[in-house]
Amino acid sequence: KDLLDRDPSVARLLFEIGWVYRNRAELHLARSVSNFGGFAPQALRLSLRRIGREATQQASTARLAFSSLRKLQKIADQAEDLGEDDHGLPSVISSALPTFMDTFLSLAAHDVIGTLGKVIHRVLNDSSVDAASRMRRAHRLRQLGAAFADVSQGAIAAATAASAPGAGAQVPASPIGGGGGQDERQRKRFEDAFLASMGLEAAAAREAA
């Protein structure tokens, strides 16, 4: 709970995991209780909902990846124009960090959700147990998904309220990190690591001075 409060990006990932749990569990139950199997109306609705959500997530990840590529191209173009005594590049990188972080988290979430879907499929289609056991697994998986959604929605709502206009002197939360000072610390750690990976620590120090 403390981790969710500190970092809403974890809460959003947990919400997505909970959604996948519930969707796959309900799909399995809908197929199992109907003579039409996967062609039952409820099963078809759940399948279409899953496909639509996955398509939206893939489009979002592709958009973020394209935005990151453009940011990197801009950094490279400006780096070529800077002399040895210029130190404007780190500020360009800092302005691009939110896009980079969104992209990394989106790619990670996409990978986690994809792997999770395969695991759930194996669990709910395990031929080593009988149908009644698979049904019990689906019911419990649905309950777990609902619990994940409930606890994560509270953390997301709290972060949204904290970042809303008029929420005092708090720093607005970024789309992928925790709000306030925690978000700033996350951004700083990411920036330091990114600059170090590119060998730009000295330039960053000159700019800070």
Side-chain angles (χ1 to χ4, degrees), residues 18 20-27 29-30 42 124 135-149:
V20 171
Y21 279 174
R22 282 194 298 177
N23 178 264
R24 302 300 192 278
E26 291 175 355
L27 178 58
L29 294 172
Q42 178 65 5
L124 297 181
M135 289 284 284
R136 286 194 294 272
R137 290 180 179 180
H139 282 293
R140 291 168 182 168
L141 192 63
R142 182 172 61 180
Q143 293 173 353
L144 182 60
F148 280 7

Side-chain angles (χ1 to χ4, degrees), residues 6 28 73 93 99-101 140 151 170 174 189 192 204:
R6 291 197 307 268
H28 179 83
Q73 183 62 53
I93 295 177
T99 302
F100 294 159
M101 295 187 340
R140 291 168 182 168
V151 70
Q170 294 174 332
S174 79
R189 287 198 300 268
D192 291 343

Side-chain angles (χ1 to χ4, degrees), residues 49-127:
R49 196 176 302 165
R50 173 182 60 82
I51 293 171
R53 194 178 186 88
E54 289 177 350
T56 300
Q57 291 170 340
Q58 289 171 358
S60 177
T61 300
R63 176 181 57 80
L64 287 169
F66 181 72
S67 296
S68 292
L69 183 61
R70 292 184 61 184
K71 296 281 188 182
L72 287 172
Q73 183 62 53
K74 182 178 180 180
I75 291 172
D77 291 343
Q78 294 198 19
E80 293 177 355
D81 297 335
L82 291 175
E84 292 184 359
D85 296 331
D86 292 326
H87 39 74
L89 184 58
S91 63
V92 176
I93 295 177
S94 296
S95 67
L97 285 177
T99 302
F100 294 159
M101 295 187 340
D102 278 353
T103 303
F104 295 154
L105 285 173
S106 181
L107 289 169
H110 182 71
D111 183 60
V112 169
I113 297 303
T115 302
L116 191 62
K118 297 176 183 178
V119 173
I120 294 172
H121 177 78
R122 295 187 63 178
V123 169
L124 297 181
N125 292 274
D126 185 4
S127 59

Side-chain angles (χ1 to χ4, degrees), residues 187-200:
R187 188 202 65 78
K188 186 64 170 62
R189 287 198 300 268
F190 189 92
E191 179 180 347
D192 291 343
F194 190 86
L195 292 175
S197 69
M198 298 183 67
L200 294 171

